[in-house]
């Protein structure tokens, strides 16, 4: 579901050794001169006495020498394997060289299956420890840990009381806001699984996602765009659509339909005030369903991905421990709504007592706004796709972003120009390039891009902008 870093055009030429004899002349074959490859890399093969000569020509803007040496070692090892056992199935051969085997993890090694508990449990512990700590800093409102704990508990009780059970899907019609965080935490506390619908996607696709998931509940965040008729029709179970009420029930979906107001309105109207402030007696296990996400795959049709609690709570502790996150960090919420990197933006800080920072959605595209917002909010952890990173780096003249510690980039091609602009903007940040897919949850590999004199070498494998 992600674009490759570069497109490799590979060409292999088997050049025969010409036989040339002339009377009264001694002829000596000279080596092949260096020629420019018409492809990203070309391997020339020619037979000689006692072996085969291999000549490799490659684009130095894309590859360094160490990478090409490793490729030739792979090729040599593969030929040795094939000649030693030509009857073996192709899947039985390996491209792992002795040098790579010393670095790569062993695929047969036992992985840790430690279960550290669910995300709501981790959040509740921090809420009890520091209820006045800021959990969400948004343009329109600020939430403390204690307030988010109480409000999400009330929402969870409401979902449960209207028939939303463990592992039932609850759709969230959302935009980047504190209300989105409130909805997700309430759903998880109810033991249900969230499914975020991004209004930026075509209504027909979102309607198909709703039809496939058959959510038991519906939460609409105040301030999100109007719900399209295609989605209303799927929720009501009728081809002609129907009324989207603000009260539970209605249509074939059943369950609970709620519109979550802004915090000040919820306080003024005592929204869900009759619900308990303590969490419901619902527990989630490692293999329980936590969310439903959709990817188009290779067909263009949405395909549902079922995400469990276990992989998420397995990933977050590694991320926090490896990069040194703690409760003093401030994390940006900039990721696309329907993609799994958003889970990192929301749940990483809440699991470790840190703060979520949400920019003004009306001003995000204004040149220079995001850089100023990062500076004013003292954001330390930036999570973004390359396109969003470019908006952050589009700054007006001003002070550098000296609060940033890490910038995690995922979702598309990261160019060396993007990294250079980030490093010029912030003297303190370390850029980490992630790769992952919806099916594998958040990230399966990462690369820390070096700064200063090491930068050119570290980014040699990245394409030019």
């Amino acid at each position: 579901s992600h674009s490759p870093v570069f497109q490799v055009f590979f060409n292999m030429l088997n050049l025969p050794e010409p036989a040339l004899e002339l009377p009264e002349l001694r002829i000596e074959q000279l080596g092949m001169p260096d020629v420019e490859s018409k492809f990203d890399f070309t391997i020339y093969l020619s037979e000689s006495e006692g072996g085969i000569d291999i000549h490799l020509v490659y684009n130095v803007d894309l590859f360094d020498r160490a990478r090409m040496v490793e490729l030739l070692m792979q090729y040599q090892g593969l030929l040795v394997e094939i000649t030693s056992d030509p009857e073996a199935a192709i899947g039985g051969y390996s491209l792992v060289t002795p040098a790579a085997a010393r670095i790569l993890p062993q695929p047969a090694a036992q992985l840790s299956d430690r279960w550290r508990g669910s995300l709501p449990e981790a959040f509740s512990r921090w809420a009890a420890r520091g209820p006045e700590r800021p959990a969400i800093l948004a343009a329109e409102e600020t939430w403390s840990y204690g307030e988010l704990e109480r409000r999400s508990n009330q929402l969870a009780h409401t979902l449960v009381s209207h028939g939303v059970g463990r592992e039932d899907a609850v759709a969230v019609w959302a935009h980047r806001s504190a209300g989105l965080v409130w909805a997700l935490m309430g759903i998880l506390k109810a033991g249900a699984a969230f499914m975020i619908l991004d209004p930026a996607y075509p209504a027909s696709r979102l309607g198909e996602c709703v039809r496939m998931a058959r959510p038991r509940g519906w939460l609409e965040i105040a301030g999100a765009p109007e719900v399209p008729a295609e989605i209303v029709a799927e929720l009501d179970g009728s081809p002609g659509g129907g009324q989207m009420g603000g009260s539970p029930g209605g249509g074939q979906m059943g369950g609970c339909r709620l519109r979550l107001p802004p915090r000040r309105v919820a306080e003024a109207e005592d929204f869900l005030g009759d619900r308990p402030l303590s969490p419901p007696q619902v527990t989630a296990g490692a293999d329980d369903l936590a969310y439903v996400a959709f990817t188009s795959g290779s067909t263009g049709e949405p395909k549902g991905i079922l995400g469990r609690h276990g992989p998420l709570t397995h990933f977050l502790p590694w991320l926090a421990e490896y990069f040194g996150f703690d409760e003093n960090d401030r994390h940006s919420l900039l990721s696309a709504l329907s993609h799994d990197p958003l889970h990192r933006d929301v749940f990483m800080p809440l699991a470790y007592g840190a703060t979520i920072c949400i920019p003004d959605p009306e001003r995000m595209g204004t040149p220079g706004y995001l850089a100023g917002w990062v500076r004013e909010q003292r954001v330390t952890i930036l999570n973004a796709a390359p396109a969003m990173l470019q908006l952050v780096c589009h700054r007006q003249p001003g002070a550098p972003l000296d609060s940033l510690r890490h910038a995690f980039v995922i979702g598309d091609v990261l160019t060396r120009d993007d990294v250079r602009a980030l490093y010029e903007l912030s003297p303190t940040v370390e850029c980490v390039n992630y790769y992952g897919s919806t099916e594998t949850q958040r990230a399966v590999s990462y690369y820390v891009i070096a700064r200063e004199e090491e930068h050119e070498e570290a980014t040699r494998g990245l394409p030019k902008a």
Side-chain angles (χ1 to χ4, degrees), residues 307-321:
R308 300 179 296 119
H309 280 270
L312 181 57
T313 56
H314 182 82
F315 173 76
L316 294 183
W318 167 83
L319 184 63
E321 293 161 11

Side-chain angles (χ1 to χ4, degrees), residues 278 365 374:
S278 58
V374 169

Side-chain angles (χ1 to χ4, degrees), residues 315-386:
F315 173 76
L316 294 183
W318 167 83
L319 184 63
E321 293 161 11
Y322 188 85
F323 292 103
F325 296 171
D326 60 31
E327 64 271 23
N328 297 312
D329 279 313
R330 294 188 169 202
H331 297 243
S332 70
L333 198 161
L334 297 176
S335 296
L337 299 182
S338 60
H339 291 171
D340 55 278
L342 180 79
H343 307 168
R344 174 195 57 199
D345 299 13
V346 173
F347 300 129
M348 179 74 252
L350 296 184
Y352 282 85
T355 303
I356 302 171
C357 297
I358 307 176
D360 185 345
E362 301 295 329
R363 301 178 61 193
M364 287 180 59
T366 304
Y369 166 73
L370 280 179
W373 171 79
V374 169
R375 185 182 302 109
E376 292 168 5
Q377 295 295 322
R378 304 296 296 170
V379 173
T380 60
I381 308 299
L382 186 72
N383 300 304

